[in-house]
Amino acid sequence: MLSPALLIVCGLFIGGLALGFVGSLGYMPLIGQETFNLDAYRQILLSERFLLSFLLTFHIAFTSTVIASLLALGAALILRQSFLGRSVINFLFQINLTVPHLVGAVGILYLFSQSGVFARLAYEFSLISKPSEFPAMIFDPLAIGIIMQYVWKEIPFIGLILLANMQTIGRDYEAVAQSLGASRWQSFRHVLLPLLMPGLLTSGMIVFAFTFGAYEIPALLGQNYPAALPVLAYQAFTDVDLNARPEALAMAMIIALLSAVMIYGYARFTRRYIRK
Amino acid sequence: MSDLALEHLTKIYPGSETPAVEGVSLNVESGSLTALLGPSACGKSTILKMIAGLLTPTSGDIRFAGSSVLKQPPQSRDAVMVFQDHLLFPYLTVGENVGFGLKMRVQAKAKINRAVGEILELVQLSGLEQRKPSELSGGQQQRVALARALILRPRILLLDEPFSNLDESLRLEMQTLLKSLHAEMKTTMLFVTHDQEEAITLADKIALLLSGRLRQYDIPQNLYNHPKDREVAQFFGARNFISGRVEAGKFDCPLGQIVLPENAPADGRLLTIRPENIVIGSNASSDNSFPATIASKKFLGSQTRLELDATGQELTVLLSPNIAESLQAGTEIIIQLPRQSLWVLP
C-alpha cells in the first residue's frame, strides 16, 4: 500500500540528491565537462564567503530553534492550566500556523524596518530624531528580523506538539514526584521536562533543519553579505556563468550534510544537558 | 496513639453536586496497617490524594500526630503515595528511581547509593540498580515503586490499589512482602483496595467506604461477622436477611423464635447469618433448627450453593461439594442456625 507513495518520495528525494551530487562533482555534459573532480568543494571550503555564510546560517537556525523551543515550552505550560478564556487564548496561539512564512516576513518588514511602523512611532514620540536611528533589525548582521520571523512562526508549531505530549503524559508522574518530596520546580525539571524531551527534541530538530535550509526568509529579510547559505547557493545556481553551477550544487550538498550532522549534534547536546 | 486523623473530611469536585467524599472521620493508629475498602468510585483514592496533599479537601481537616497539615504542600507532608500504575520514571534506572526522593532532598550521592542498595535488598531486587523499568516484570516494577517510597522512611505510606494490576500469584507474593515490610519498618500504612479478601488478609483495621461515606471502621473479624448494617453485610457477602424483632434475647420471625448470641444488639429488625455458617442435617429438636426445602443447587467449584425455602423464608447456604453431593433440589432437610453465627442488624 505504501509502495507508490514511497516510490515517489524516495525517487524524488534520492534522485534529486544523486543528480545534485553528480553535478557537484563537476560532471556537466551540457558545457562539455564530463570528468569527476572535487574542485567545487575545494573552492567553497576555502572561501571566506562560504565560512561567514555558514556561521550566519547556523546562528539563525540555532538561535531561532532555542528561543522558539523555550517560548513554546512556557506557552504550553500556561495553556495546560485551566483558566477563564483558555480556549480563546489557545485559538490565538495557534492562529499564525495558517499564515504563510512570506506573509509573516512582509509583516516583520512592515513593522520593524527603519521605515516601518515602529520606527515611525518612535520618531513621532521623539524617541529618535530620524527613522534611520531606529535599531537595524532587518538586513542586519545579527539577522534579528529573520530570527523574529522564525520564532513567531515556530512557537505554535512546537507548542502544539508539547501540549499534545503533556496531555498524553498527564499529571500523575508529577504527583508521584511531589509525593516523593519534589518541589514544583524539581518536578518540572526532573520529571516533566525529561518526559517532554522526545517531543521537544523532535520538534526542535524539524525547526532547526527547516530554518537551516530555508531560502525565502533570509532572501527577503537578510543582508547581502554574508548571505545565508541557501541564498548563496541559489545565487550561484542562477549565475549566468554555468561554470558556477557545480559550486552551487556542492553548496547544496554541504547544506544537506551539515543539516544532518548538526541535527545529530543538537540532539546529543540537548539530551546530555537534560540528563545532568 | 493516633498518627493520622481525618476530621469530617469532604471533597466535592468542581462541577459536581455529589460529594466524592462526605464527612469522613477516621483515626489511624501509629504503626498500623489500615485498609480503605470499598467499590470503585466510592472516594477511596480521593481520600488518599487529600492525605498526600495532591487534592485539597472542600471541608474538614487532616492531622498528622495532632497537627493539621492542610496548609502544607505535598513535599512537606512526610506522606508518600504509591500509585496503582507504579509510575516509575521511564528515563531513569531502577537505582535512580529508588533514589529519586533522596535526590530531591539534596542528599549526598554516596548516602543515596548506600540507601538504595539497602532498600533494594529489602524488596529482594539487589543487583537490578542499572536496569530500566521497561526491563522489569510487573511485580518487580511494583517492588521498585514500594522501595522508592520506603527509602524515605515516611511517617505515613499511602498505597493506592498497589497490587490490582498484578496476577493472582504475584499479588499474593506482594501481599506477603508488604506484610513483612510493615512488620520490619513499623511505618503507618494506609492502603486502598476494592478486594475484601486483600483487606481482610493484610489489614489490622478496615475502613469500609460506600458512596463516599465511612460506613464501618473496625477490625476485619467484626466487619465480617458483626456488620453495622445491611449494606456493610452485603458488601462482605451476606445473603441471608430475615425480618423480625428482638424480644428477650430471641428473634421473633416467621421461622419461629431464634435464640440469639449474648452480645447481639437488643433492638434490631433484621437477622443475618452467613451462607457458610448454616448447618444442614442437624437434629430437629436442637436449638434454632427448622425444616426447609432445597429449591435449587449450583456447583461453584470449591463450594456448592443451595437456595432454600424455609417456611416461605429464602435462605442461601454454601457447602463443601462433598457434603452437597447427596442433596438434590426438592429434598426436605433440617437446617440449624448456630447461635454464635447470628447477628442482628438495624
Side-chain angles (χ1 to χ4, degrees):
Chain A
M1 287 290 280
L2 276 174
S3 304
L6 277 176
L7 198 67
I8 292 170
V9 172
C10 294
L12 288 176
F13 177 69
I14 296 170
L17 210 61
L19 278 176
F21 182 62
V22 168
S24 73
L25 293 175
Y27 182 76
M28 294 196 66
L30 197 66
I31 53 170
Q33 292 177 5
E34 294 187 348
T35 56
F36 293 96
N37 59 64
L38 294 171
D39 291 351
Y41 287 96
R42 205 172 292 122
Q43 279 164 15
I44 288 167
L45 293 172
L46 291 175
S47 88
E48 186 187 293
R49 187 173 189 177
F50 176 82
L51 181 67
L52 290 173
S53 287
F54 166 73
L55 290 174
L56 176 72
T57 314
F58 180 82
H59 156 68
I60 292 170
F62 185 79
T63 312
S64 306
T65 305
V66 170
I67 295 175
S69 298
L70 289 174
L71 293 178
L73 182 60
L77 286 172
I78 293 168
L79 288 171
R80 183 194 195 202
Q81 311 297 328
S82 310
F83 55 87
L84 197 66
R86 180 177 168 273
S87 53
V88 176
I89 302 287
N90 203 14
F91 172 74
L92 292 173
F93 177 68
Q94 298 172 30
I95 203 165
N96 64 347
L97 275 176
T98 58
V99 181
H101 268 286
L102 271 178
V103 176
V106 171
I108 295 276
L109 202 60
Y110 180 70
L111 291 171
F112 293 100
S113 71
Q114 286 176 324
S115 57
V117 172
F118 290 125
R120 274 184 261 166
L121 280 173
Y123 176 70
E124 284 300 322
F125 288 104
S126 304
L127 296 172
I128 51 176
S129 58
K130 50 185 177 183
S132 61
E133 283 179 4
F134 190 75
M137 289 192 265
I138 312 294
F139 316 124
D140 61 310
L142 291 175
I144 294 172
I146 300 171
I147 291 168
M148 277 201 296
Q149 157 63 20
Y150 283 144
V151 167
W152 171 78
K153 181 74 182 160
E154 305 305 348
I155 285 175
F157 169 71
I158 300 175
L160 282 183
I161 290 174
L162 293 180
L163 265 176
N165 277 6
M166 284 176 185
Q167 275 181 344
T168 310
I169 293 164
R171 290 180 186 268
D172 283 350
Y173 282 107
E174 290 162 274
V176 170
Q178 285 178 24
S179 174
L180 291 168
S183 64
R184 288 183 74 174
W185 162 249
Q186 283 176 319
S187 72
F188 167 73
R189 166 73 181 82
H190 295 283
V191 177
L192 185 59
L193 195 56
L195 289 170
L196 285 175
M197 273 320 287
L200 194 59
L201 267 180
T202 309
S203 52
M205 277 186 236
I206 292 169
V207 169
F208 186 92
F210 173 78
T211 49
F212 194 83
Y215 164 78
E216 72 273 37
I217 304 301
L220 264 175
L221 302 178
Q223 60 182 0
N224 276 332
Y225 185 85
L229 274 184
V231 177
L232 197 65
Y234 182 76
Q235 284 168 354
F237 192 80
T238 52
D239 198 306
V240 286
D241 180 7
L242 285 178
N243 287 309
R245 191 154 291 185
E247 276 185 32
L249 292 171
M251 251 185 269
M253 290 298 114
I254 290 170
I255 290 171
L257 184 67
L258 287 175
S259 291
V261 169
M262 282 180 296
I263 285 168
Y264 177 73
Y266 176 78
R268 284 204 61 165
F269 165 78
T270 322
R271 237 180 228 135
R272 195 175 304 156
Y273 174 77
I274 291 300
R275 284 299 304 274
K276 268 184 190 171
Chain B
M1 180 197 157
S2 167
D3 207 16
L4 164 70
L6 310 181
E7 294 177 359
H8 310 292
L9 200 64
T10 297
K11 177 67 185 178
I12 304 171
Y13 284 105
S16 170
E17 287 175 8
T18 318
V21 174
E22 192 175 3
V24 170
S25 295
L26 189 68
N27 283 308
V28 176
E29 284 90 22
S30 180
S32 66
L33 180 53
T34 303
L36 271 180
L37 176 66
S40 297
C42 72
K44 312 181 293 287
S45 298
T46 301
I47 291 178
L48 232 55
K49 285 180 180 171
M50 287 193 281
I51 297 169
L54 303 171
L55 281 176
T56 308
T58 308
S59 63
D61 200 0
I62 300 167
R63 294 176 177 273
F64 288 2
S67 305
S68 175
V69 292
L70 281 189
K71 288 182 179 165
Q72 288 180 17
Q75 65 267 25
S76 313
R77 287 203 181 183
D78 205 10
V80 177
M81 190 159 162
V82 175
F83 288 73
Q84 183 177 1
D85 297 326
H86 54 75
L87 295 168
L88 299 179
F89 305 125
Y91 48 88
L92 298 180
T93 62
V94 166
E96 288 167 335
N97 261 288
V98 174
F100 182 87
L102 293 178
K103 189 180 172 187
M104 294 304 103
R105 285 162 169 77
V106 203
Q107 302 284 322
K109 205 167 182 177
K111 189 182 171 186
I112 295 176
N113 289 341
R114 198 168 50 245
V116 167
E118 284 170 10
I119 203 78
L120 282 179
E121 198 179 330
L122 209 58
V123 297
Q124 297 147 27
L125 285 179
S126 291
L128 300 185
E129 285 90 338
Q130 296 309 316
R131 295 251 187 108
K132 282 286 175 73
S134 57
E135 296 167 339
L136 303 179
S137 68
Q140 287 174 324
Q141 288 180 347
Q142 200 52 274
R143 280 167 195 250
V144 175
L146 260 179
R148 183 172 66 173
L150 286 171
I151 198 172
L152 299 171
R153 309 260 166 189
R155 171 191 287 277
I156 298 161
L157 181 65
L158 306 163
L159 302 126
D160 189 3
E161 305 226 26
F163 314 132
S164 62
N165 286 346
L166 305 177
D167 61 39
E168 183 68 20
S169 61
L170 264 179
R171 192 157 61 237
L172 291 174
E173 196 182 303
M174 289 300 292
Q175 286 173 359
T176 310
L177 176 71
L178 183 71
K179 198 80 181 165
S180 68
L181 287 172
H182 176 253
E184 186 160 340
M185 302 182 84
K186 306 282 181 214
T187 306
T188 305
M189 294 185 183
L190 185 61
F191 77 98
V192 156
T193 180
H194 63 269
D195 181 348
Q196 49 165 292
E197 199 179 315
E198 186 171 82
I200 289 169
T201 310
L202 286 178
D204 300 324
K205 282 180 94 173
I206 297 172
L208 179 69
L209 285 163
L210 296 172
S211 307
R213 286 169 167 263
L214 180 65
R215 300 300 289 269
Q216 191 166 346
Y217 179 45
D218 215 328
I219 59 170
Q221 290 85 340
N222 282 349
L223 275 153
Y224 199 75
N225 295 318
H226 300 152
K228 198 175 154 191
D229 56 38
R230 184 177 181 142
E231 278 182 279
V232 175
Q234 278 177 323
F235 186 85
F236 279 91
R239 297 176 66 123
N240 300 315
F241 300 100
I242 305 165
S243 297
R245 58 189 181 140
V246 180
E247 263 184 24
K250 290 184 178 174
F251 193 79
D252 197 6
C253 66
L255 278 176
Q257 288 211 323
I258 300 173
V259 183
L260 295 172
E262 285 163 6
N263 61 344
D267 57 351
R269 301 181 75 85
L270 212 54
L271 185 76
T272 185
I273 181 167
R274 298 193 63 81
E276 62 272 25
N277 288 341
I278 295 179
V279 178
I280 299 235
S282 64
N283 191 332
S285 60
S286 59
D287 266 356
N288 297 345
S289 291
F290 305 96
T293 307
I294 299 172
S296 67
K297 178 181 168 184
K298 177 84 180 164
F299 176 65
L300 302 175
S302 62
Q303 288 179 310
T304 295
R305 187 176 66 213
L306 301 180
E307 300 294 343
L308 306 181
D309 180 353
T311 331
Q313 174 69 50
E314 288 178 4
L315 292 171
T316 301
V317 181
L318 288 172
L319 290 175
S320 146
N322 292 339
I323 298 170
E325 202 174 356
S326 60
L327 301 170
Q328 301 303 327
T331 309
E332 292 193 351
I333 54 172
I334 299 294
I335 56 165
Q336 193 201 7
L337 311 181
R339 192 178 170 191
Q340 291 310 318
S341 302
L342 297 168
W343 190 245
V344 179
L345 303 171

